Amino acid sequence: ANMLLGLSSLMILIAGFGLLHLTGASMHAHWIAGKMAIWAVIGIGAPIIAKRKPELKVPFYAVAMGLLVVAAVLAVLKP
């Protein structure tokens, strides 16, 4: 499961950079930095929480869902 998460995270990152190139967005935009930070927190935090603190899986899931909503808002509004 961790390998699948790692591979899918890498593919999401590569696809995101591809979409940035196609849209012509600047890499220095604040919304891009926010989305990358959210990607890193979820991609790195999920396996760590699952292995070391299994009792925190449910709260982390709730936080991750909230972060995904924030990421979607950042992508749509591009503040």
Side-chain angles (χ1 to χ4, degrees), residues 18-69:
L19 286 172
L20 284 175
H21 177 71
L22 288 176
T23 61
S26 170
M27 282 298 298
H28 303 290
H30 296 294
W31 67 274
I32 295 172
K35 283 186 61 91
M36 288 188 67
I38 291 170
W39 172 83
V41 166
I42 294 173
I44 295 169
I48 292 171
I49 294 293
K51 183 170 183 152
R52 296 190 181 166
K53 298 282 188 180
E55 66 274 5
L56 295 178
K57 282 183 186 179
V58 174
F60 184 78
Y61 180 77
V63 170
M65 290 298 113
L67 287 173
L68 289 173
V69 169

